[in-house]
Structure formats: C-alpha cells, structure tokens
Amino acid sequence: MNIHEYQAKEVLKSYGVKIQEGIVADSPEAALEAAKKLTADTGTSWYVLKAQIHAGGRGKGEIKETGSRGVVLAKSLEDVPEKAKDILNGTLVTIQTGEEGKLVKKILVAQDVYYPGNSEPKEYYLSILLDRATGSNIIMASTEGGVNIEEIAESTPEKIIKEWVDPMLGIQPYQARNVAFKLGLEGNAFKEMVKFIMALYAAYDASDASQFEINPVLKTSDDQILAVDAKVNLDDNALYRNKDLAAMRDLDEEDPFEVEAAESGLNYVKLDGNVGCMVNGAGLAMATMDMIKLSGGEPANFLDVGGGANAQTVEAGFRIILKDPKVKAILINVFGGIVRCDRIASGVVEAYKSIGDISVPIIVRLQGTNAEEGAKIIDESGLKVTSAITLKEAAEKVQNVLSA
C-alpha cells in the first residue's frame, strides 16, 4: 500500500527522523493558513507547494489545465494562494501517471530548506528495502540525490552504496557510520546522517514497510540532515497489525477495479490488453497470460479467484472484467483440485444468467477433478460459452473469435 508524501513524513517524524516541515491543504485558503503557520513555527519566508498524488516525477510533471508544475516555489505569502490554485483540482501528468494523469486533491505546503549558510546544500539518495536474494534488508545510498536510482544504476553504478542488514539483528551503529562515511560526510553532518539512518531503519522495521525511499535527503547549509521527499510502500499483508497506517489508505489513488476486486476477495491487476482472464491460482494466471500472448493476444488483466472459487466469486470476477471496455473476449482457466470443475462450470453458468446478456465470447478451459462433468455442463448450457481441453487450445480459440 502506498501513502502520500505528507503521510510518509508523519510516519518518519514519529520515529525521530528529521523532515522538511509541512502542512497539508486542500484549498488555496487552507494553503495560505498553512504557510502562515509554517512561518510562525519555522521562520521560513519561502514555501514549497507539492501536489500529493501516488506518483513520482511531480516536480517535472505538468498540470494539464494550467501548465503549472507539480512542485512549485512561492517566494511570499501573497504568492501561495495563486500557486496553490494552479495545482489543486488539476490533472497532474508525470512520467509515472501516463497521459491520463491524476487529479490533485491535496497539496503539501512545506518550508524552504535550501537557505544560505556556511556551506552549499547537498542532496543525497537513501532507501531501505528487502533484498529477496539474500533475505536481508538493504540500505542503498548515493551522493547523486534528486535523480532516479535507475538512472544512477545505468550511468554511474559505482556511485550506489549498499549495506545489508540482518533483519534478526537489526541495523548496527557501525553500518550507519559506514554509509555516512561512504557518502563523504564529516563533522556534524556525519553525526546527523548516522542518526538519520538509524531512525529511518527503525521506522522502516516498525511499520512493516516493503520500501522506504528518501530522495532527496538534504544536507542543509548548516549541516542538518532532512528528508525533503519521502516515498513509503507498506506491506499489505501486515496492515492488520498496523491499523493506524491502514487508515492512511487513499482509495481515490487506486484503480477502482482493483479496489472492487479486493472487496470481493479477488486478486486483480488491470492491464492494457483485450482478453479478460479469470484463473484460480497466481502461477496458473501468469501461465495463462503468457499463453494468450504466445497466441497473438494481449491479456486485459490478472485475476486470481483463489482455490475456493464459487458462483459468487465467479460472478464478481465477471462483473469486474466486463467493466473494462477494452475486453473483447474472456478466457476462464481453472484447474480443479480443492474446487471441483463441475462446481466451477455451474458457477460460470449461474453467473452468466445472473448478469444477463454478455456480449463478449467466453472460452472455458477446465482440467482436474470432474473436468469432463464440467465441460458437459458448459456445452449443454445453451449459452455463448465454449469449452476447451488444453490451455493452448483455449488461447487459440480466444484468438480465433477475436480475428473473426
């Protein structure tokens, strides 16, 4: 589960991570009040206004309606409402949103932290995530802050610092010092970075996160270390024990099909193809999508109805798939193990009748327990449903109906 920057910073601050202070606002008037409070609390006279959407590249992104960037600087209180108006309720298009963009409902009004001082401010990159290859958490850092880590990895991989942390032992102070040293820090900035890394790891571990990415981490002109941006991804499977974090979920930022599927107990991911897929089992679903592509088609979704599929889950799957206007055919691929094929076939027929007229052709491939009985139910239903024996045959039948 992703959360907004302002929420991520709240989590970080609660664990002692120093952040660029900010206040969320949902109107130009609220943005002005937020700026006034920031001046009173921090003394700042410049303000950074940041669109709050679940996507990166906001600073380089553009609001369709006004041409404003997703992150702008207001150099006075008077500038804040107008600049906020240019962002709020606009559609922000970034490299991660696609051309359709995302509606901006909130902005973060943040203090200016790039103030003059004894030294030049310097940006760094820092993230913590799980390294599945080693079963350890890994801290990744770089002196090239403000740049996508993918770009750094491709152009200057030697600038990526890696420190593996045993999740059973947790981070040790020497590991934080090692990272700070390799970043070239010294003096007070070195000490502050060590504290920053230790606190960041504590927040990552306690919140059951799958990823923390701070880009940039800023060394200010007076050697403070601050999180200027924050991307936090939480493990969905651990949200039951982090109810305060689960409450941060913003359903408006998620695909409505995926939200509806989750409410029905289905695992669904929307794709860009034209063949709807309904399968029991994640591995089988991946194989089904591969076979569709090998046969010349394009899967419209990943949909795993689970091992205990019944008429209700099949109907819910149908309804979600059919809401996608790109879907021109549906392939149901079920291996009967825990659930019998005849039960799935009956569920398909019941769901078909419950929904009413389904305009797209449906191909059903059943194998496993009571597969023959299931195929008979499909063939004798009188509905526009075609049965298949092998997965290859099913995929080819889908392609045939699409080409007809």
Side-chain angles (χ1 to χ4, degrees), residues 169-182:
L169 296 176
I171 189 169
Q172 303 300 305
Y174 79 87
Q175 294 178 299
R177 291 194 295 270
N178 190 35
V179 173
F181 176 77
K182 290 181 178 179

Side-chain angles (χ1 to χ4, degrees), residues 263-276:
E263 291 174 350
S264 299
L266 306 175
N267 295 310
Y268 175 91
V269 178
K270 190 177 183 302
L271 303 173
D272 294 325
N274 58 359
V275 181

Side-chain angles (χ1 to χ4, degrees), residues 30-53:
L32 178 58
E33 291 305 312
K36 290 178 179 178
K37 188 172 191 316
L38 279 175
T39 297
D41 292 346
T42 69
T44 188
S45 57
W46 287 12
Y47 315 91
V48 185
L49 278 57
K50 303 182 179 184
Q52 297 298 286
I53 62 170

Side-chain angles (χ1 to χ4, degrees), residues 3-66:
I3 57 177
H4 289 293
E5 176 194 352
Y6 77 91
Q7 296 169 320
K9 284 181 173 177
E10 288 174 8
V11 174
L12 297 183
K13 189 176 181 179
S14 69
Y15 286 92
V17 180
K18 289 186 178 181
I19 63 169
Q20 175 194 35
E21 295 291 345
I23 301 170
V24 69
D26 58 5
S27 70
E29 296 76 17
L32 178 58
E33 291 305 312
K36 290 178 179 178
K37 188 172 191 316
L38 279 175
T39 297
D41 292 346
T42 69
T44 188
S45 57
W46 287 12
Y47 315 91
V48 185
L49 278 57
K50 303 182 179 184
Q52 297 298 286
I53 62 170
H54 288 179
R58 293 169 296 162
K60 296 180 180 179
E62 185 174 295
I63 301 292
K64 281 184 180 181
E65 295 80 1
T66 64

Side-chain angles (χ1 to χ4, degrees), residues 273-279 285-301 329-333 391-392 394-396 398-399 402:
N274 58 359
V275 181
C277 305
M278 191 187 309
V279 189
M286 297 296 289
T288 302
M289 292 191 295
D290 287 344
M291 187 59 72
I292 289 171
K293 289 187 70 70
L294 288 172
S295 299
E298 289 291 336
N301 63 271
I330 298 175
L331 172 55
I332 300 175
N333 183 22
L391 177 53
K392 182 179 180 182
E396 289 174 349
V398 168
Q399 193 56 30
L402 290 175

Side-chain angles (χ1 to χ4, degrees), residues 33-108:
E33 291 305 312
K36 290 178 179 178
K37 188 172 191 316
L38 279 175
T39 297
D41 292 346
T42 69
T44 188
S45 57
W46 287 12
Y47 315 91
V48 185
L49 278 57
K50 303 182 179 184
Q52 297 298 286
I53 62 170
H54 288 179
R58 293 169 296 162
K60 296 180 180 179
E62 185 174 295
I63 301 292
K64 281 184 180 181
E65 295 80 1
T66 64
S68 171
R69 295 295 184 187
V71 178
V72 298
L73 178 65
K75 295 184 178 181
S76 69
L77 282 172
E78 292 73 19
D79 286 344
V80 171
E82 194 63 33
K83 289 184 179 293
K85 185 178 178 181
D86 288 340
I87 299 175
L88 281 166
N89 300 312
T91 306
L92 179 58
V93 179
T94 77
I95 57 173
Q96 292 187 9
T97 65
E99 293 181 0
E100 68 276 10
K102 285 193 172 185
L103 180 65
V104 181
K105 295 185 176 182
K106 295 178 181 179
I107 59 171
L108 178 64

Side-chain angles (χ1 to χ4, degrees), residues 255-258 260-261 266-271 273-279 292 298-305 313-333 355 358-363:
D255 187 293
F257 293 170
E258 294 180 13
E260 181 180 347
L266 306 175
N267 295 310
Y268 175 91
V269 178
K270 190 177 183 302
L271 303 173
N274 58 359
V275 181
C277 305
M278 191 187 309
V279 189
I292 289 171
E298 289 291 336
N301 63 271
F302 169 100
L303 176 56
D304 173 16
V305 297
T313 54
V314 171
E315 180 177 340
F318 265 135
R319 291 188 182 278
I320 292 167
I321 291 173
L322 290 170
K323 286 182 179 179
D324 184 351
K326 293 182 179 179
V327 170
K328 304 303 179 186
I330 298 175
L331 172 55
I332 300 175
N333 183 22
I355 293 172
I358 297 178
S359 59
V360 300
I362 299 171
I363 290 83

